[in-house]
Amino acid sequence: FGPALAMKADNLAYGRHGEPKDPDAARRLLMAAADRGSAMATFLLGYYDAYGGMGERDPAAAQRHFQAAMNAGVRGSATHLGILYEAGTGVPKDVGRALDLYRRGVEETDLEAHYRLGRMLYFGSGTEEDRPAAFELFEEAAGREHAWSAYFAGFMLARGQGVGADPGKAVPLLEQAGERGIAAAKGELGRMLYHGEGVTADRARGRRLLQEAVEAGDGNAKDYLAAIDAPPPAPKPTPKQAPKPEEALRGSGPAEDLKALMRGEPFRFTAENVPFMAGVATALAETCNAPRDMGDRWDLATFAMTATVGTVLGGKYSDPDLGAALGDMGKKMLLQGMGEAAGRQIPCGTTAEVVAAGILSAIRSNAKGSDGGLSTFVRSCAPAFDQRRCTCLANTARVTMPDIHRMSYHRSIIKQVIEGNPFIGLQIALTCGITEY
């Protein structure tokens, strides 16, 4: 049963290349070949029964054909049998069996098996979540032009999931997937281009790709485009009397930064918005379980916890002016509380994930140098300690000194941090292992 007969059966099944559409004739041709011992014909019978190529779908028959073809060594049979077990189509649902079959398909170098197994590892479906392993599978299949694998590999590189963030490598993969008709890839690439996230900004092309993704039915692209097109908030009337402290903060830096995040736009940490964003991050984790990625959630929780420690005594503990010290502490506590209140108003789902991703992006970009490598602080600090302890020091201290990564190291900086907030100093000693400076 050679390629010519396989093509003839396909042409009869779908009425292609001048052949009249005759699914019954296609089935007779394949069944005769299968009866003569052709394993490939048996596999094709399973394929058509599984996906309705010859009329009504018959998953139970597809399972029998795929099983027989797999036993005969036809590559791809294990993968398609796994698809039936994963969905419970024609067979009892058995995710464990599906995983085993996909692993067999990967051993047979079947690209669809790479994608299916990678997807289950990415989402933790029926197995422990393992995004680094998922990325390896997607990357390998993408290198052989599997469209959905290219999308996942590009998305993970763009977001830094399971692999170090590398927008430059993400772009060609997303372009590859988009050209093959994956709407989600166009949406993600459009978002990156519109905001200039790791690539040169191109708002016209970014908007065009987002629109194409929306027209193809991608919900995330629809949300991104809606956020971009949202009208700016109406200006608030000037109050006739002095506002209360919490009213004075409305519409200020942190609130505007949150609005930018909800539109998918980046922001930069300041002394004001650090406690506010820590409050937002805490609320997103508690109310929406966002971000979904556990590694990302840990990074966000670490930031929120460190910022909370910084809030307890403020940043002016040693100020001889007691009023200034207490005022700074009160302001930071107020900002963190307002951030939590604002975070609880954010709709769970896409919007919550976009905001969480924006805070994470600010955390990570803040810790890099202009060339995308080590920050100025870590580079200049490493000779005194080492890269790990210097990174820990900067990430801990930035809740009181947001721009510390852009500074050159000097031991007076540690003294300044400790004098501003002894709790942060204690955390530097316990977590980073820096006790003498």
Side-chain angles (χ1 to χ4, degrees), residues 145-161:
E145 300 188 350
H146 188 277
W148 272 107
S149 294
Y151 162 66
F152 269 90
F155 182 89
M156 293 175 78
L157 282 164
R159 303 296 183 99
Q161 295 181 348

Side-chain angles (χ1 to χ4, degrees), residues 286-338:
E286 291 178 354
T287 60
C288 299
N289 289 324
R292 188 179 185 281
D293 180 87
M294 293 305 296
D296 288 347
R297 196 181 302 173
W298 172 258
D299 288 347
L300 210 56
T302 301
F303 161 73
M305 179 183 67
T306 305
T308 299
V309 172
T311 298
V312 173
L313 293 179
K316 298 182 179 181
Y317 178 79
S318 298
D319 195 315
D321 183 344
L322 182 59
L326 293 175
D328 187 71
M329 179 176 67
K331 181 178 180 182
K332 283 181 166 56
M333 293 178 68
L334 175 60
L335 282 165
Q336 186 162 357
M338 290 179 65

